Amino acid sequence: MHLHAIIPAGGAGTRLWPLSTAKTPKFLLDLLGSGSSMLQDTVRRLAPISQGITVVTGQGHVKAVSEQLISEGGLGADVSVDIVAEPTPRDSMAAIGLATAIIHQRHGDCIVGSFAADHVIGDEALFHECVLTACEVASRGFLTTIGIEPTHAATGFGYIQGSDPLDIPFGAVRNVAGDPVDMPAYHVANFKEKPDETLAASYLAQGGYWWNAGMFIVRSGVLLNALKQHHPDLATGLEKIAASWDTQARDEVMGKHWPELTKIAIDHALAEPMATAGLVATVAAPKSLAWDDVGDYEALIRLRTGSGNEREDGSDAKVFLQDSAGATVLANGLSSVAVLGIPDALVAYHNGQLLVTTRSHAQDVKDAGSYFA
């Protein structure tokens, strides 16, 4: 069964304000200096293992997404990309559910996979092997996740608790080159909310826990049937919208039913109840996958510099640092920046908006981003 990739591209990335805002969210930006946006990197990464890619984004971002992926100067004909526009945000279940319903309407029962638009993967060949293994597991009727082997007791991620291993015959999964893949997969016992540091440390000590990276791979029919069981009203609304999608009635039906859809994340809508029923599995990705959600400035600094301690100005400003070890300045648009006597300072400037803080407050930047949204 061929994979149809879904990329929900929403959110304002408030923890990276002012670089990322509601008008220019982080998935549209080249935050790592690669020469392409995070969304473009995600599409290129998925293209070799996908039959088609559907990007679900807000109405206000359709033009920018189209320019990056479809229009001349974008990815062009390298990969087939479809864009689904949400009139308003209704959380991840509505976004993923609508894309799945449209794909199911067009192609019948097939494998769909949801992948964030703004995450970083270091080893793309290993990523392909993880996803292809997840497709094999999903073909058996499981809602399948990709769990990330923890590198530290992180408190900013949810966790997946595994149980019994799944038997995947050697040779059942082959990579892009056609070689057999041996990637472990497990039944999921439970999903854990973001823990405190003590609880996170206990997860690492026990073993059998993985970070929840928010990737879900499943047969379209399994997802839609589960949605009918757990959220019938949401399922009915999505089914009506999908049935009209390739007709002239699309806008009318969308306008009528979209505002009424239940606003809920796929984790709570399906992953948790299906895990209770024994219908969720996870593919255990090793640390060498080098996954990162670029969730705050500390992560961005680490990815840009290769460590958490090196200076990285990453800007066209002339920067003067004195008695400010570990300071970071990201200030495109300013001519000069001086930081005096503030170790681990963080200065970020974009389009007339300025952030001055320290790296220890990286998680609190979201408060400023929400205030100015």
Side-chain angles (χ1 to χ4, degrees), residues 202-216:
S202 75
Y203 290 165
L204 267 65
Q206 293 175 55
Y209 287 84
W210 296 272
W211 288 339
N212 183 2
M215 302 182 221
F216 295 96

Side-chain angles (χ1 to χ4, degrees), residues 18-363:
L19 302 184
S20 176
T21 65
K23 290 184 178 179
T24 56
K26 67 175 182 173
F27 64 83
L28 291 174
L29 305 177
D30 176 15
L31 289 177
L32 303 183
S34 68
S36 56
S37 73
M38 302 189 80
L39 174 61
Q40 288 174 317
D41 289 342
T42 301
V43 170
R44 287 196 181 99
R45 185 163 59 241
L46 287 165
I49 55 172
S50 302
Q51 183 166 317
I53 296 175
T54 300
V55 178
V56 186
T57 194
Q59 189 66 53
H61 297 134
V62 169
K63 180 180 179 181
V65 170
S66 179
E67 287 174 350
Q68 289 194 5
L69 301 182
I70 298 176
S71 302
E72 185 177 353
L75 292 184
D78 293 341
V79 60
S80 172
V81 176
D82 189 29
I83 299 175
V84 171
E86 298 178 296
T88 56
R90 303 303 298 171
D91 219 319
S92 60
M93 188 68 260
I96 296 167
L98 177 57
T100 299
I102 294 170
I103 292 167
H104 189 83
Q105 176 91 5
R106 292 171 174 172
H107 303 282
D109 194 23
C110 58
I111 300 289
V112 295
S114 174
F115 306 89
D118 52 9
H119 290 183
V120 171
I121 301 289
D123 189 331
E124 294 194 1
L126 181 57
F127 170 74
H128 292 159
E129 293 183 353
C130 290
V131 175
L132 292 170
T133 301
C135 289
E136 167 63 24
V137 176
S139 70
R140 305 180 186 190
F142 289 98
L143 174 63
T144 310
T145 67
I146 295 178
I148 310 298
E149 182 182 2
T151 59
H152 61 283
T155 58
F157 303 139
Y159 284 72
I160 300 167
Q161 180 184 8
S163 60
D164 299 331
L166 274 77
D167 179 25
I168 303 176
F170 185 74
V173 180
R174 295 185 178 272
N175 62 19
V176 175
D179 301 319
V181 173
D182 187 14
M183 188 74 60
Y186 300 85
H187 293 275
V188 169
N190 210 342
F191 287 89
K192 303 291 187 179
E193 298 290 344
K194 297 175 182 177
D196 59 28
E197 190 170 351
T198 300
L199 187 55
S202 75
Y203 290 165
L204 267 65
Q206 293 175 55
Y209 287 84
W210 296 272
W211 288 339
N212 183 2
M215 302 182 221
F216 295 96
I217 298 92
V218 63
R219 277 173 40 200
S220 58
V222 169
L223 184 146
L224 295 173
N225 286 333
L227 201 54
K228 288 178 184 177
Q229 177 184 350
H230 296 288
H231 295 277
D233 291 343
L234 178 54
T236 299
L238 292 174
E239 183 179 353
K240 290 179 179 178
I241 296 171
S244 70
W245 197 256
D246 293 319
T247 74
Q248 293 182 347
R250 176 199 296 184
D251 292 343
E252 178 184 352
V253 176
M254 186 75 152
K256 178 180 179 181
H257 293 288
W258 185 260
E260 301 173 352
L261 298 181
T262 304
K263 199 172 184 180
I264 187 171
I266 188 173
D267 307 69
H268 303 309
L270 292 186
E272 292 171 0
M274 290 180 72
T276 300
L279 298 174
V280 180
T282 190
V283 172
K287 298 173 185 177
S288 55
L289 183 66
W291 167 87
D292 203 300
D293 72 341
V294 201
D296 59 22
Y297 274 105
E298 194 63 23
L300 180 59
I301 293 166
R302 182 180 66 252
L303 289 165
R304 289 177 69 105
T305 64
S307 80
N309 299 309
E310 300 175 22
R311 173 193 160 193
E312 164 63 43
D313 57 61
S315 68
D316 56 9
K318 186 175 182 179
V319 178
F320 176 78
L321 302 177
Q322 181 171 295
D323 297 329
S324 301
T328 298
V329 177
L330 301 164
N332 282 317
L334 291 179
S335 59
S336 304
V337 177
V339 182
L340 306 176
I342 310 176
D344 289 329
L346 170 60
V347 179
Y349 174 85
H350 185 67
N351 283 349
Q353 296 178 305
L354 176 66
L355 169 71
V356 181
T357 185
T358 59
R359 286 168 56 175
S360 63
H361 288 80
Q363 284 287 324

